[in-house]
Amino acid sequence: MDEDARSSTVLDSMMENGTFDKFRESIVAQLKDNEDLRKYTSDLVKESKTLNDDNARSQQKKILFEKLRGEIENKVMERASDAAWDILLSEEGTGKELKEKVDEMMRP
């Protein structure tokens, strides 16, 4: 079996036995607890052109929220993606556990 086929089989196995979900849940929990990410998001909201506009108080909340989302969503998602990759590639914690599990499952 070639490397790509084995990788696909390992991924399928991890998804079927719940390992994938375990790692996903761990990463999501770590992102939620990430104070730097939280502060970054808070700072973006505080500095938002949308919320600091003179007309912000007179706008409907839904419209205001959509404008805010459009203003900061990509920045927050990019930072969260970087943080998730840091977790995945870490040589300790979740990253280490993931590497060990994949290595274990890749053995013939």
Side-chain angles (χ1 to χ4, degrees), residues 13 19 24-25 32-33 36-37 41 71 74 83-84 86 94 99 104:
S13 294
T19 303
R24 181 185 50 77
E25 289 169 5
K32 285 182 179 180
D33 291 341
D36 291 336
L37 185 57
T41 304
E71 182 181 344
N74 287 338
D86 288 345
T94 303
K99 182 185 181 319
E104 171 189 319

Side-chain angles (χ1 to χ4, degrees), residues 7-67:
S7 297
S8 180
T9 301
V10 167
L11 181 59
D12 289 344
S13 294
M14 290 177 78
M15 292 175 79
E16 288 174 11
N17 71 16
T19 303
F20 185 86
D21 286 334
K22 175 188 164 231
F23 285 116
R24 181 185 50 77
E25 289 169 5
S26 175
I27 292 166
V28 168
Q30 290 177 63
L31 289 174
K32 285 182 179 180
D33 291 341
N34 184 321
E35 288 299 324
D36 291 336
L37 185 57
R38 197 177 293 207
K39 182 178 180 338
Y40 176 74
T41 304
S42 177
D43 289 347
L44 286 177
V45 170
K46 288 176 187 173
E47 297 167 4
S48 165
K49 292 177 185 175
T50 300
L51 296 179
N52 289 310
D53 185 278
D54 292 338
N55 298 321
R57 292 194 183 271
S58 64
Q59 292 183 26
Q60 292 179 356
K61 288 181 183 180
K62 182 177 181 179
I63 292 170
L64 195 61
F65 180 76
E66 288 301 320
K67 285 182 180 179

